[in-house]
């Protein structure tokens, strides 16, 4: 039997064995860490030398060699045909060319079976080139009487068919007769279709571009027939590009279709543009319609949405161009653009049909392009109606024009064939309104439609040549209608109500309406400058209309309130001019505008209109000052009244800083008045500044004793003392220096009494300079009586004394500085 130790002994044994295991584990972990560090610290193994980069891959070298070989053989065959052809008989010629052509066309079959596809392509290209030489040789031998262009058309058709049959036949033979595979090659044949050569079918497609075109040239056809042949070829290319699955053929067909289609479209467009009668225009329109059908068919079956959209856009534009060419020669010049516009709008009706989505979008874009072009055609008329009236600024109140057209043209010519411009603008605006209903871009559509509608209505008087007064009434109604639209249009983008006091956010149509109202009203005001009565009436109406708009909607008031004040300023100037007042007298009337602005701004409080109203009022005040600048007494009155207006503004708690402007205006008014009285005493100009400045400085130091005396009293004292000192130095009489000295002494004593540094320094300096000025004649007299050696001697003694007591002088200067430093 096995003897088990007691539990205590067994526990001791287990603990001893565990300690040994822990010690062994620690040794192994230390060894492992050393090995890891050694491996990481070991130098990296030397890198293998970089492999030499090949500059040309094996397939590239192979292709270059095959292309060069085929090219050389083709050149040799051409040289043989052109040079050595006449040295052989008919049998020899046929035998040589036939044998070489059949050999070149037959060799690719075994090459493909053995996997040599690139070599087969090169040899096949040689064989196809030989067939062209065969056709040339055949014409030189057997068909010499046949006309060259006709023979070339037939030969190109035959060659296209032969090359296509050859390419398909080679693929079928290779796919239906499997053979062994070469080393490293995949097995030949395709379970899904024949293995085709890359060259024959694309070359056949390129050869097929020539038959119809050469046939048309051979028949001496006209431009219409040649263009039809080009478009027919493009249609065939498009069909091949959409129906054939082989990528090389599809790419070649697409490229050929684009080139031939562009050629045909350009030729048809030139025929339509140069057509002078309906019959030739209809033939050109038929060609453009054929091109449009080709483009729309390609868009319908296009595999990519972007391609479908582009071709549908092209097709839509071609349809409009086809109809537009007929309308150009069938209708008067004024109706050509509206007719094309209606065709563009009709495209939107086609969009409603069941068509692929890319086609619908392409036609919609085409319709938009037509409408944009029509609007561009009408823009010169709108620009003339808006900018043309500016010419009346130089001929104000010269004479009322005969009609509205003469009112807007002034010195500019009227654009031809523009009678239907308003109709074009109105139609496009209506289309935008209808098309934008329920769409995400409804806001943008309404904005553009509003601009076009206002432009259409604004140019109607000039287009219809309405009487001058009637035209202004119509344009005035346009301004009122636009402002009314701005008031009823949705104002806020967000559906919730705005916070109280928040700045409103305009919707694009509302903001656009206000801007349009400003622009059209400015043009209307310029039109009214031709007549005195019209000017007064129109400006008064504009003042009322914009004031009402500002009172109706706070959002529009940001622009309408300043506009009303600006027109009020113009009205006051016009009233003064109509009453034959001088400009300085008119300035007094203009001051009514700043008064109104101050009153309105005070009632608006923190509205967004406050600042624009105040700025406009300030501008009117500056205009009044400018008008009164030629008459000093009136200018002083205008400046004083302006100070009163500014003081009224400064009464508001948030406009206290305007008080400085009021003080400056009052000071300028006093100065201008003194200058108009011929007062030349500088104190008369400086004391009105010094006294208020000293009073304000005293009040400021009373509120805050820490304010330095230089800040409180320095500016006010300097304004009077310095000009008076300059005047005293140039004054030969004694009253001015005496009074200035007394004033400087008083200022100095006050500064010493109240321990103020600024009055003490300024008063003492001025007093010293005045004393020197008064003693200068006597000093000069004494110096003149002394011998000439006395001044240098005195200067030397002064320097010696100064040097001997230098330290004491520094101590005294320090003491003076400390005394002044204790002043405030």
């Amino acid at each position: 039997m096995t003897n088990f130790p007691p539990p205590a002994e067994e526990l001791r044994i287990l603990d001893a064995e565990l300690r040994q295991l822990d010690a062994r584990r620690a040794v192994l972990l230390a060894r492992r860490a050393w090995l890891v560090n050694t491996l990481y610290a070991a130098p990296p193994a030397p890198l293998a030398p970089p492999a030499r980069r090949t500059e040309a891959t094996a397939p590239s070298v192979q292709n270059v060699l095959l292309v060069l070989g085929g090219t050389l053989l083709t050149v040799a065959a051409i040289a043989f045909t052109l040079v050595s052809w006449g040295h052989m008989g008919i049998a020899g010629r046929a035998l040589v060319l036939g044998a070489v052509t059949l050999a070149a066309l037959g060799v690719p079959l075994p090459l493909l079976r053995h996997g040599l596809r690139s070599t087969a392509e090169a040899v096949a290209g040689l064989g196809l080139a030989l067939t062209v030489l065969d056709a040339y040789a055949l014409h030189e031998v057997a068909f010499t009487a046949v006309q060259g262009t006709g023979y070339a058309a037939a030969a190109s058709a035959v060659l296209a068919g032969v090359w296509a049959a050859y390419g398909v036949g080679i693929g079928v033979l290779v796919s239906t007769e499997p053979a062994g595979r070469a080393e490293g090659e995949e097995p030949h044949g395709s379970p899904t279709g024949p293995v085709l050569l890359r060259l024959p079918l694309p070359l056949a497609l390129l050869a097929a571009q020539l038959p119809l075109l050469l046939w048309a040239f051979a028949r001496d056809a006209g431009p219409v027939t040649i263009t039809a042949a080009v478009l027919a070829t493009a249609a065939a290319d498009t069909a091949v590009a959409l129906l054939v699955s082989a990528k090389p053929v599809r790419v070649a067909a697409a490229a050929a279709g684009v080139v031939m289609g562009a050629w045909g479209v350009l030729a048809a467009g030139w025929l339509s543009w140069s057509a002078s009668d309906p019959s030739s225009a209809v033939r050109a329109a038929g060609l453009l319609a054929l091109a449009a059908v080709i483009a729309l068919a390609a868009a319908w079956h296009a595999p990519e949405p972007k391609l479908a959209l582009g071709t549908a856009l092209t097709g839509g534009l071609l349809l409009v161009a086809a109809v537009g060419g007929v309308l150009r020669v069938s209708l008067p010049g004024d109706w050509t653009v509206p007719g094309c516009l209606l065709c563009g709008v009709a495209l939107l009706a086609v969009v409603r049909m069941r068509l692929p989505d890319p086609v619908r979008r392409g036609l919609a874009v085409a319709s938009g392009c037509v409408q944009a072009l029509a609007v561009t055609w009408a823009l010169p008329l709108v620009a003339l109606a808006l900018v043309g009236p500016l010419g009346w600024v130089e001929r104000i109140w010269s004479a009322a024009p005969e009609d509205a057209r003469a009112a807007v043209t002034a010195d500019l010519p009227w654009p031809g064939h523009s009678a239907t411009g308003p109709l074009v603008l109105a139609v496009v605006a209506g289309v935008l309104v209808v098309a934008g209903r329920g769409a995400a871009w409804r806001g943008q559509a309404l904005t553009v439609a509003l601009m076009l509608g206002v432009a259409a209505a604004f140019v109607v008087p000039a287009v219809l040549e309405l009487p001058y007064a009637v035209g202004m009434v119509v344009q005035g109604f346009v301004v009122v209608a636009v402002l009314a639209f701005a008031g009823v249009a949705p104002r806020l983008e967000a559906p919730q109500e705005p916070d109280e006091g928040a700045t409103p956010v305009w919707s694009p149509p509302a903001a656009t309406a206000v801007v349009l109202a400003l622009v059209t009203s400015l043009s209307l005001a310029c039109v009214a400058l031709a007549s005195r009565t019209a000017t007064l009436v129109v400006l008064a109406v504009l003042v009322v209309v914009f004031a009402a708009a500002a009172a109706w909607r706070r959002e529009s008031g940001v622009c309408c309130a300043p506009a009303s004040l600006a027109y009020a300023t113009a009205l006051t100037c016009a009233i003064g001019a109509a009453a034959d007042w001088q400009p300085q007298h008119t300035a007094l009337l203009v001051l009514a505008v700043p008064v109104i602005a101050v009153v309105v701004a005070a009632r608006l409080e923190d509205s967004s209109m406050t600042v624009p109203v105040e700025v406009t009022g300030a501008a009117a005040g500056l205009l009044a000052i400018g008008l009164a600048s030629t008459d000093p007494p009136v200018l002083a009155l205008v400046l004083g009244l302006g100070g009163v207006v500014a003081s009224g503004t400064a009464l508001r708690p948030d406009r206290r800083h305007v008080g400085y402007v009021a003080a400056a205006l009052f000071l300028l008014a006093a100065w201008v008045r003194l200058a108009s009285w011929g007062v030349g005493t500088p104190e008369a100009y400086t004391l009105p500044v010094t006294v208020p400045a000293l009073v304000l400085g005293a009040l400021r130091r009373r509120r805050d004793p820490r304010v330095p005396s230089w800040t409180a009293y320095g500016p006010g004292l300097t304004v009077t003392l310095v000009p008076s000192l300059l005047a005293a130095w140039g004054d030969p009489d004694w009253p001015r220096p005496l009074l200035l000295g007394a004033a400087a002494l008083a200022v100095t004593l006050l500064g010493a009494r109240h321990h103020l540094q600024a009055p003490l320094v300024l008063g003492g300096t001025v007093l010293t300079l005045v004393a020197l000025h008064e003693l200068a004649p006597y000093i000069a007299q004494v110096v003149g009586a002394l011998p000439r050696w006395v001044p240098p001697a005195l200067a030397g003694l002064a320097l010696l004394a100064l040097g001997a007591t230098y330290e004491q002088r520094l101590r005294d200067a320090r003491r003076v500085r400390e005394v002044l430093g204790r002043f405030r």
Side-chain angles (χ1 to χ4, degrees):
M1 296 180 62
T2 304
N3 294 325
F4 291 98
E9 181 66 19
E10 184 177 2
L11 181 59
R12 184 186 63 77
I13 294 172
L14 291 176
D15 289 340
E17 292 181 354
L18 288 175
R19 282 193 296 273
Q20 291 177 0
L21 291 174
D22 290 340
R24 181 61 178 169
R25 185 174 183 275
V27 171
L28 294 176
L29 288 175
R31 180 64 178 175
R32 180 182 181 278
W34 181 84
L35 293 173
V36 169
N37 292 333
T38 302
L39 289 176
Y40 279 114
L47 298 176
R52 197 173 204 177
R53 188 175 64 88
T54 57
E55 298 183 357
T57 61
S60 299
V61 174
Q62 173 186 338
N63 293 335
V64 170
L65 294 177
L66 291 175
V67 170
L68 288 176
T71 303
L72 292 176
L73 289 175
T74 303
V75 171
I78 293 174
F80 169 78
T81 304
L82 297 177
V83 178
S84 302
W85 184 257
H87 301 289
M88 303 178 63
I90 296 178
R93 300 169 187 172
L95 180 62
V96 171
L97 273 180
V100 173
T101 303
L102 292 176
L105 295 176
V107 168
L109 182 59
L111 292 177
L112 286 174
R113 290 175 178 173
H114 288 82
L116 302 176
R117 186 186 184 99
S118 299
T119 307
E121 293 281 359
V123 177
L126 174 62
L128 297 178
L130 289 175
T131 57
V132 178
L133 296 177
D134 290 339
Y136 169 74
L138 187 61
H139 177 265
E140 293 297 323
V141 172
F143 299 99
T144 54
V146 179
Q147 197 265 343
T149 306
Y151 178 81
S156 59
V158 172
L159 288 176
V162 170
W163 292 352
Y166 173 74
V168 175
I170 287 291
V172 172
L173 291 176
V174 173
S175 300
T176 56
E177 297 181 12
R181 50 178 154 167
E183 183 178 354
E185 296 288 339
E186 294 295 332
H188 298 289
S190 175
T192 59
V195 179
L196 301 177
L197 290 173
R198 293 187 180 90
L199 285 178
L201 292 181
L203 290 178
L205 182 67
L206 295 179
Q209 309 302 308
L210 301 177
L212 288 178
L213 185 60
L214 293 177
W215 170 81
F217 283 126
R219 296 293 301 270
D220 293 331
V224 175
T225 305
I226 295 175
T227 305
V230 173
L231 291 175
T233 306
D237 295 333
T238 304
V240 173
L242 295 174
L243 299 177
V244 176
S245 59
K247 185 176 181 179
V249 181
R250 191 170 64 251
V251 172
V258 170
V259 173
M260 299 300 287
W263 182 4
V265 167
L266 292 177
W270 179 80
L271 290 174
S272 178
W273 181 262
S274 60
S276 57
D277 56 273
S279 60
S280 58
V282 168
R283 289 193 293 270
L287 296 175
L288 290 173
L290 175 60
V293 171
I294 296 171
L296 292 175
W300 189 290
H301 299 284
E304 297 181 2
K306 291 183 179 180
L307 179 61
L309 189 147
T311 50
L313 168 63
T314 304
L317 293 177
L318 289 175
L319 285 176
V320 175
V323 179
V326 177
L327 296 177
R328 185 180 63 83
V329 297
S330 303
L331 298 177
D334 293 337
W335 292 96
T336 302
V337 175
C340 295
L341 176 61
L342 293 179
C343 295
V345 174
L347 291 178
L348 294 178
V350 178
V351 171
R352 301 292 181 181
M353 301 172 60
R354 299 183 60 182
L355 298 173
D357 184 65
V359 177
R360 287 203 308 270
R361 288 190 286 116
L363 292 176
V365 174
S367 176
C369 292
V370 174
Q371 296 179 57
L373 291 174
V375 170
T376 304
W377 169 79
L379 284 182
L381 177 63
V382 179
L384 178 63
L386 292 176
V387 181
L390 293 177
W392 291 106
V393 175
E394 299 178 353
R395 299 181 299 174
I396 183 171
W397 297 354
S398 57
E402 297 179 358
D403 51 43
R405 179 175 297 185
V408 300
T409 52
D411 298 326
L412 300 176
W414 180 260
H417 303 297
S418 57
T420 54
L423 177 63
V424 169
L425 297 173
V427 169
V428 177
V431 170
L432 286 173
V433 172
V434 174
R437 289 184 304 177
W441 43 276
R442 178 173 177 270
Q444 292 82 350
L446 287 177
T447 301
V448 179
L450 176 63
M451 296 172 62
L452 296 177
V454 171
F458 200 75
V459 300
V460 164
V463 171
L464 299 180
E465 297 184 83
L466 298 178
Y468 174 64
V470 177
M472 285 192 297
V473 171
V474 173
Q475 292 180 340
F477 276 119
V478 172
V479 176
V480 174
V482 174
L483 287 176
F485 177 83
V488 301
R491 275 299 190 275
L492 302 176
E493 295 288 350
Q496 66 271 15
E497 292 294 330
D499 296 335
E500 186 68 25
T503 301
V505 180
W506 286 10
S507 63
T512 304
V514 174
V515 174
L516 290 174
L518 294 175
V519 174
T520 52
S521 65
L522 181 61
S523 178
L524 174 60
C526 291
V527 169
L529 293 178
S531 170
R532 176 181 304 181
T533 304
T535 301
L536 297 175
V537 172
V538 168
L539 289 178
V541 171
L542 291 177
V543 170
V544 175
V545 168
F546 279 98
W552 183 22
R553 290 290 184 180
R554 190 178 72 171
E555 300 90 340
S556 60
V558 176
C559 296
C560 293
S564 178
L565 292 176
Y567 285 124
T569 304
L571 178 61
T572 56
C573 294
I575 292 175
D580 292 331
W581 290 357
Q582 296 296 323
Q584 60 269 24
H585 300 149
T586 304
L588 297 174
L589 184 60
V590 173
L591 283 177
V593 177
V595 174
I596 297 173
V598 170
V599 175
V600 173
R603 295 181 61 86
L604 292 174
E605 296 181 353
D606 294 333
S607 172
S608 58
M609 292 187 290
T610 304
V611 175
V613 167
E614 291 176 342
V615 171
T616 309
L622 292 176
L623 176 61
I625 293 174
L627 291 174
S629 60
T630 57
D631 191 340
V634 178
L635 177 60
L637 178 60
V638 170
L639 289 171
L641 294 176
V644 173
V645 175
S647 300
T649 303
L651 293 177
R652 294 163 49 193
D654 57 338
R655 293 292 187 269
R656 297 298 188 193
H657 57 277
V658 184
Y660 297 104
V661 179
L665 290 174
F666 283 131
L667 179 61
L668 290 175
W671 285 357
V672 171
R673 174 57 65 181
L674 292 173
S676 65
W677 288 339
V679 176
T681 304
E683 289 79 9
Y685 298 91
T686 58
L687 286 177
V689 180
T690 296
V691 174
L694 293 177
V695 173
L696 292 176
L699 294 176
R700 185 175 181 184
R701 277 184 60 83
R702 178 176 296 180
R703 289 196 304 266
D704 186 5
R706 294 174 297 177
V707 175
S709 62
W710 286 104
T711 303
Y713 305 116
L717 293 174
T718 303
V719 167
T720 295
L721 291 177
V722 173
S724 298
L725 178 62
L726 296 176
W729 273 64
D731 192 351
D733 298 328
W734 61 270
R736 181 186 297 277
L738 179 60
L739 295 176
L740 178 60
L745 178 60
V747 171
T748 304
L749 294 177
L750 287 175
R753 172 68 180 79
H754 297 284
H755 298 278
L756 298 175
Q757 188 178 110
L760 181 62
V761 173
L762 291 175
T765 302
V766 172
L767 181 60
T768 303
L769 293 175
V770 170
L772 290 176
H773 175 265
E774 294 303 312
L775 295 176
Y778 303 102
I779 295 174
Q781 185 178 0
V782 171
V783 171
L786 294 175
R788 294 187 177 182
W789 55 267
V790 173
L794 293 176
L797 291 175
L799 291 177
L800 289 175
L802 182 62
T805 60
Y806 182 73
E807 184 176 0
Q808 181 63 33
R809 297 295 178 271
L810 289 179
R811 190 180 301 111
D812 295 340
R814 254 187 247 106
R815 189 177 296 109
V816 172
R817 186 179 62 185
E818 291 174 358
V819 171
L820 289 176
R822 287 194 294 270
F823 287 6
R824 304 190 63 180

